[in-house]
Amino acid sequence: MGTHEKKKGDTTIKQPILEMKEIWKSFPGVQALKNVNATLHEGEVHALVGENGAGKSTLMNVAFGLIQPDSGSIYRNGQKVVIDSPIVAQKLGIGIVPQELNLVPHLSVVENILLGMEPCKYHSKTFIRWGEMYRKAKEILDSLGENIPLKQVVDSLSVAQQQTVQIARALAFGARILILDEPTASLTLNEIRSLFTIIQYFREEGGAIFYISHRLEEILEITDRISILRDGEKIIELDPKQTTIDEIVKHMVGREAVKIQKPPSFDYSNKKVVLKVENLTHKGELEDISFELYEGEILGLAGLVGAGRTELARCIFGDIKPTSGIITVYSRKVSRFAPWEGIRNNIAYL
């Protein structure tokens, strides 16, 4: 029998391919992890869920060697290991896809995937075997069911394609365990479906994933097991097929979730316009934006990362000067764009 299995009667019990036991970690004034246990099995997607500050990312940074625990043990295929750097983690087949991708934007897809692992001629780093580079990179992308042009500069790719390149880079290092930290935060619905397809490809090949997300609907859809962390402690482990979003939230916050009643429709009659934006444009970021904000109203601005929401807010406050357009505050046209002017117009920017 291999190291992954052991017999108990007629039942085959699979040992975890990664096991974290009694992990403790503190920072000045904060106990980030308190006796946390977490396991991962071959072909599994294990979700880590919790509020901000619950300890999810800290635990995964310990698994990848970015942070050293104060105490506790880590086992890879049943063997105790010390992961004291990301290099050690990569050698153990552990890869991470952080929320903030760390690719080299001005290099091509093939260069990013195999950066630092380039096949070279004559045992020298001077002459790269480009044919082999392209072959290896294509094999990795094919294994994910993706077809991204290998010569394309990474900076010109969509966020979803860049994320795929980051995953491919982890696989180039031989990763069989992936840590995905908020992988869908910046993706459209179609891009999320593509990511789920990649995850399915990876698990069918025997890979395993720790999956961090605040989107509970997708947690129930894509994962096999859910561990809930709160204030640095593992509270409970749930089966996604036998739980609900309300139950997950209850364990996350430590109490029953209160349903917020939707307020009645906003009554615009006899309401003054306090802010009017007309055809606002900031080259390369905003294009022809118009809307009105009424007294007593809450107006939401929605969009993906890079959609221009922050840039719009900064224009209104005066932190950015628009290329064209008109902003009117309480019937007074804004002519000078500077933060002090925004403050003078009774606008606060948080």
Side-chain angles (χ1 to χ4, degrees):
M1 269 183 299
T3 58
H4 293 281
E5 298 182 357
K6 58 182 178 180
K7 292 288 184 179
K8 185 178 180 181
D10 296 326
T11 305
T12 299
I13 301 175
K14 288 188 176 181
Q15 288 185 348
I17 60 173
L18 186 69
E19 191 171 11
M20 306 179 74
K21 290 185 175 182
E22 300 175 357
I23 304 295
W24 290 79
K25 180 63 184 178
S26 64
F27 300 103
V30 178
Q31 187 67 52
L33 295 173
K34 308 172 188 175
N35 198 37
V36 177
N37 295 282
T39 59
L40 192 63
H41 294 82
E42 187 178 289
E44 178 187 37
V45 180
H46 185 164
L48 297 177
V49 177
E51 295 183 285
N52 290 335
K56 308 180 299 295
S57 294
T58 301
L59 183 64
M60 292 298 94
N61 285 336
V62 168
F64 193 61
L66 291 166
I67 294 175
Q68 299 308 300
D70 298 331
S71 63
S73 305
I74 301 176
Y75 296 82
R76 180 74 167 94
N77 292 337
Q79 301 295 315
K80 187 174 182 179
V81 295
V82 176
I83 306 177
D84 54 9
S85 73
I87 293 174
V88 172
Q90 288 172 340
K91 288 179 179 178
L92 291 170
I94 303 171
I96 192 168
V97 181
Q99 188 173 355
E100 299 292 334
L101 302 178
N102 55 2
L103 300 171
V104 185
H106 64 275
L107 294 183
S108 67
V109 169
V110 66
E111 289 170 312
N112 268 277
I113 292 175
L114 293 169
L115 187 64
M117 298 172 282
E118 300 89 344
C120 297
K121 300 177 182 177
Y122 317 122
H123 304 288
S124 164
K125 285 292 181 183
T126 307
F127 303 100
I128 295 174
R129 295 202 297 267
W130 286 102
E132 189 173 341
M133 280 269 287
Y134 282 100
R135 180 183 59 78
K136 284 186 174 182
K138 187 176 186 305
E139 283 179 0
I140 294 169
L141 288 175
D142 286 347
S143 73
L144 297 174
E146 290 293 310
N147 184 26
I148 300 174
L150 294 174
K151 293 183 179 181
Q152 192 163 341
V153 175
V154 159
D155 198 35
S156 66
L157 299 177
S158 69
V159 174
Q161 288 175 318
Q162 290 184 28
Q163 192 176 71
T164 300
V165 173
Q166 186 86 63
I167 293 172
R169 177 166 172 73
L171 297 186
F173 275 97
R176 302 310 299 151
I177 295 169
L178 280 179
I179 299 166
L180 302 183
D181 192 351
E182 297 288 353
T184 62
S186 303
L187 304 186
T188 65
L189 290 176
N190 286 337
E191 290 169 340
I192 290 171
R193 302 317 310 176
S194 296
L195 175 65
F196 286 178
T197 300
I198 290 173
I199 289 173
Q200 192 60 35
Y201 270 106
F202 184 66
R203 72 198 301 185
E204 286 174 358
E205 293 297 318
I209 294 173
F210 273 123
Y211 191 95
I212 299 175
S213 179
H214 286 97
R215 296 185 174 182
L216 301 184
E217 294 87 352
E218 69 188 35
I219 289 289
L220 293 178
E221 177 183 353
I222 196 67
T223 66
D224 303 292
R225 200 155 39 108
I226 303 170
S227 287
I228 297 178
L229 275 65
R230 186 172 74 239
D231 298 329
E233 294 184 83
K234 182 176 175 181
I235 302 302
I236 195 171
E237 198 170 277
L238 299 173
D239 182 345
K241 297 181 179 63
Q242 299 179 3
T243 190
T244 63
I245 289 177
D246 285 346
E247 184 180 8
I248 294 172
V249 172
K250 180 184 74 173
H251 291 298
M252 284 172 58
V253 301
R255 61 185 183 276
E256 292 287 346
V258 178
K259 297 285 186 180
I260 298 175
Q261 296 296 320
K262 186 176 180 180
S265 298
F266 188 76
D267 183 8
Y268 288 93
S269 61
N270 301 319
K271 298 288 186 181
K272 294 180 181 178
V273 175
V274 297
L275 173 68
K276 186 175 183 180
V277 174
E278 300 174 83
N279 309 115
L280 192 70
T281 297
H282 186 254
K283 191 173 181 180
E285 293 178 329
L286 303 171
E287 184 69 35
D288 198 27
I289 306 295
S290 299
F291 63 86
E292 294 178 339
L293 177 66
Y294 291 79
E295 60 180 0
E297 182 187 27
I298 298 175
L299 175 62
L301 297 174
L304 296 173
V305 172
R309 299 161 301 171
T310 298
E311 290 74 16
L312 175 58
R314 291 175 65 193
C315 277
I316 294 170
F317 182 62
D319 193 34
I320 294 176
K321 184 177 180 179
T323 309
S324 60
I326 299 171
I327 297 176
T328 306
V329 181
Y330 290 104
S331 302
R332 180 177 175 273
K333 183 179 176 181
V334 176
S335 57
R336 291 172 289 189
F337 289 90
W340 62 264
E341 180 73 4
I343 294 170
R344 195 164 76 91
N345 290 325
N346 294 321
I347 299 174
Y349 178 63
L350 304 181

